[in-house]
Amino acid sequence: MGCDTGVKQKRFFIETWGCQMNEEDSEKLSGMLESMGYAKTDIKKEADIIIFNTCCVRENAELKVYGNLGALKNLKKSNPGITIAVCGCMMQQRGIAENIKKRYPFVNLIFGTNNIHRFPELINNAMQSENTIMEVEDDEGEIVEGVPIDRKSKIKALVTIMYGCNNFCTYCVVPYVRGRERSRKSKDILDEVKKLGQDGYKEITLLGQNVNSYGKGLDEDINFAKLLYMLNDVDGIQRIRFMTSHPKDLSDELIDAVKNCNKVCKHIHLPLQSGSTRILKKMNRNYTKEEYLSLADKMKSKIPGLAITTDIIVGFPGETEEDFEETMDVVQRVGFDSAFTFLFSPRDKTPAADMPDQIDDDTKHKRFNRLVDLLNTIGLQKNLKYVGRVVEVLAEGISKNDESKFMGRTDTGKLVNFKAGLDVTGKIVKLRIDEAQTWSLNGELVD
Ligand code: SF4
């Protein structure tokens, strides 16, 4: 037990919007702050440092950041000693950092995604300055290894294997804000995963905007399939997941790796975006409806029991009723286990924002609802097939919806709630599935 020195430990609060890569960046910010002697708090008004890690992929997330910043004005007035920092993808968009500096002059620090590793120095400078410190670098620069990280979970870890994207899908801002593709050296990834295994982590999720192009540009004989074989041998780690895979780059070698590596989960997240070849072309996705369908068929036939999940955008400019029906057709034929569905939202400086024939909100919402209904029906059918089966589940902790139960996931990514007499967190348990709902399963422990 530590002694009470009477000095109150300083605290920090981080709010994160957006994808898992942002979550991992926030874990790094937490890790750096903890090494600086700060402790994490979930209560904003108790914090000495407040950080907003922003996302610019969807308009909604951006609006929330502005709303939250506005709400900090009074807090800063009543407690001028707090330090407020804003970072993340939104700051990489031209004009936004300057705008925040002007509209919210009480913000102490604004920085981008490419200089997270310099955070301790930046926050110290900000604390000593009367003015807002702003450092947003366009140049993606080198990958910095060894940044301290405070992971949210002690069981599952996010591991970024590459940064940026070269694909320029016409609706997406990522290539503009996260820069071109850069891969981490395989040895650095392997060392990190070995350490995670030694520290008791059971599952890793490898992250990249397009993991299928991992290794390009590196000075070593490596690609994503080879990386999976390498990581499959790491002691302690029992499950390996990855996202996201661009269909145009998914090789036979990778399908074989998913099949052959016993720790690689039999689940692939393969964004479809649209089922219409005409719309896919306008999106610059570089595959056709038929190519997507035959890829999905090939994977299903090579990897028995494979779960496929996807992302779909509804209401892309020019999407006709026939185009939308093509999307519904692919959803039926592939039989996705689940999907992230999005209403098209025009993002500044992307080509799609200026395309003619933008779809009106009413049509978008109606199509969206039809799609979600279909996905829910298929999701439930898929889940019902689990009833009566015995599955292995990695127990992650207490269920959010029912505190008398634990929750975990199958290797196909299905959420299962179950009762257990002992704390089984972090263990792989065998469960017999006795009930299926659209989004989750219920199970019972078997010996
Ligand atoms: S692959 Fe397309 S959607 Fe994905 S990050 Fe790159 S540009 Fe964006």
Side-chain angles (χ1 to χ4, degrees):
M1 248 216 214
C3 59
D4 184 357
T5 59
V7 179
K8 202 171 132 242
Q9 191 177 20
K10 298 237 178 202
R11 283 174 283 193
F12 66 93
F13 169 92
I14 303 186
E15 179 127 18
T16 310
W17 285 272
C19 65
Q20 288 173 309
M21 295 186 91
N22 257 20
E23 270 176 41
E24 207 220 11
D25 280 349
S26 287
E27 291 181 345
K28 284 183 182 154
L29 292 170
S30 295
M32 288 186 268
L33 281 163
E34 284 180 357
S35 354
M36 291 163 74
Y38 285 82
K40 199 191 291 179
T41 173
D42 293 331
I43 306 166
K44 212 185 279 173
K45 57 176 193 274
E46 283 184 357
D48 301 279
I49 297 179
I50 296 176
I51 303 175
F52 288 162
N53 188 2
T54 66
C55 165
C56 60
V57 171
R58 313 220 167 264
E59 196 181 12
N60 246 354
E62 266 188 30
L63 295 177
K64 278 191 193 147
V65 171
Y66 288 126
N68 277 269
L69 273 176
L72 285 187
K73 194 173 172 186
N74 285 337
L75 191 59
K76 181 83 176 185
K77 224 185 231 167
S78 59
N79 180 7
I82 52 170
T83 304
I84 298 173
V86 191
C87 61
C89 301
M90 235 174 111
M91 301 309 110
Q92 296 290 142
Q93 279 191 302
R94 231 165 279 289
I96 293 211
E98 289 79 5
N99 187 27
I100 288 186
K101 187 176 168 185
K102 208 153 90 199
R103 277 177 63 191
Y104 309 96
F106 53 84
V107 169
N108 302 86
L109 170 64
I110 297 170
F111 61 106
T113 52
N114 296 323
N115 34 13
I116 277 205
H117 57 284
R118 299 207 335 104
F119 172 71
E121 186 189 335
L122 295 173
I123 196 90
N124 275 328
N125 292 347
M127 284 172 180
Q128 285 155 31
S129 169
E130 300 270 291
N131 303 318
T132 308
I133 301 278
M134 193 164 92
E135 192 177 296
V136 181
E137 286 171 18
D138 281 342
D139 181 7
E140 51 258 27
E142 278 178 27
I143 293 174
V144 178
E145 295 291 346
V147 174
I149 185 157
D150 167 41
R151 299 183 190 275
K152 254 197 207 155
S153 159
K154 299 288 167 232
I155 299 159
K156 308 195 302 178
L158 303 171
V159 178
T160 298
I161 61 164
M162 60 185 299
Y163 300 86
C165 180
N166 290 354
N167 288 313
F168 290 93
C169 301
T170 55
Y171 51 83
C172 181
V173 288
V174 167
Y176 306 95
V177 296
R178 290 265 177 181
R180 296 297 77 74
E181 281 171 9
R182 289 100 67 207
S183 295
R184 291 176 66 195
K185 290 184 188 129
S186 63
K187 181 174 180 312
D188 291 331
I189 299 170
L190 183 62
D191 287 349
E192 182 177 347
V193 174
K194 278 184 181 164
K195 175 84 176 44
L196 288 166
Q198 286 158 9
D199 289 348
Y201 282 85
K202 298 292 185 306
E203 179 178 303
I204 54 166
T205 301
L206 306 173
L207 298 178
Q209 305 294 349
N210 179 15
V211 290
N212 299 341
S213 9
Y214 171 77
K216 283 185 191 154
L218 280 181
D219 204 8
E220 52 176 317
D221 177 25
I222 189 85
N223 59 24
F224 187 52
K226 288 181 180 143
L227 182 74
L228 286 181
Y229 283 110
M230 199 184 256
L231 300 180
N232 196 55
D233 289 336
V234 174
D235 288 340
I237 299 298
Q238 298 184 30
R239 285 183 171 184
I240 302 173
R241 300 186 186 277
F242 58 88
M243 73 190 302
T244 294
S245 278
H246 197 306
K248 78 176 166 61
D249 297 318
L250 203 147
S251 64
D252 286 350
E253 190 186 359
L254 177 59
I255 298 175
D256 288 340
V258 175
K259 180 181 172 185
N260 297 336
C261 294
N262 63 327
K263 294 179 183 172
V264 174
C265 292
K266 305 308 172 224
H267 168 207
I268 191 143
H269 187 73
L270 192 67
L272 167 68
Q273 308 302 10
S274 169
S276 154
T277 298
R278 198 181 72 83
I279 295 294
L280 287 168
K281 194 148 189 253
K282 291 177 74 166
M283 290 176 161
N284 193 30
R285 292 290 291 172
N286 285 303
Y287 53 86
T288 63
K289 174 186 181 183
E290 290 68 32
E291 283 163 351
Y292 187 98
L293 284 170
S294 74
L295 180 60
D297 279 348
K298 182 159 60 176
M299 286 188 302
K300 282 196 274 186
S301 67
K302 282 200 171 182
I303 309 168
L306 180 76
I308 305 181
T309 56
T310 197
D311 296 338
I312 299 173
I313 297 173
V314 176
F316 189 81
E319 182 190 76
T320 61
E321 181 58 24
E322 290 70 39
D323 293 317
F324 177 68
E325 283 297 338
E326 302 266 22
T327 300
M328 298 284 271
D329 184 46
V330 178
V331 169
Q332 285 274 15
R333 286 163 71 178
V334 175
F336 293 112
D337 287 76
S338 69
F340 294 116
T341 44
F342 305 98
L343 290 165
F344 172 76
S345 101
R347 307 311 293 132
D348 210 19
K349 298 188 183 65
T350 60
D354 298 323
M355 284 182 184
D357 305 323
Q358 298 282 329
I359 308 300
D360 65 87
D361 278 356
D362 186 46
T363 309
K364 269 192 218 170
H365 280 102
K366 282 186 179 140
R367 286 181 188 160
F368 185 87
N369 292 340
R370 281 161 62 198
L371 176 65
V372 170
D373 282 349
L374 177 60
L375 284 162
N376 287 352
T377 307
I378 295 172
L380 180 60
Q381 284 164 2
K382 292 250 156 188
N383 281 356
L384 282 167
K385 290 200 179 136
Y386 278 80
V387 175
R389 276 175 55 191
V390 173
V391 293
E392 289 193 339
V393 162
L394 173 60
E396 294 176 21
I398 301 293
S399 163
K400 284 196 187 100
N401 299 329
D402 180 350
E403 287 191 359
S404 69
K405 289 185 174 173
F406 285 86
M407 60 75 63
R409 285 188 189 269
T410 63
D411 86 328
T412 52
K414 303 283 178 195
L415 176 69
V416 191
N417 294 307
F418 61 98
K419 285 205 161 140
L422 296 169
D423 184 1
V424 288
T425 307
K427 296 197 164 55
I428 291 195
V429 291
K430 279 196 177 159
L431 301 175
R432 178 171 292 102
I433 302 301
D434 49 26
E435 197 188 346
Q437 286 146 3
T438 308
W439 301 115
S440 63
L441 304 167
N442 286 326
E444 214 173 78
L445 277 175
V446 293
D447 300 328

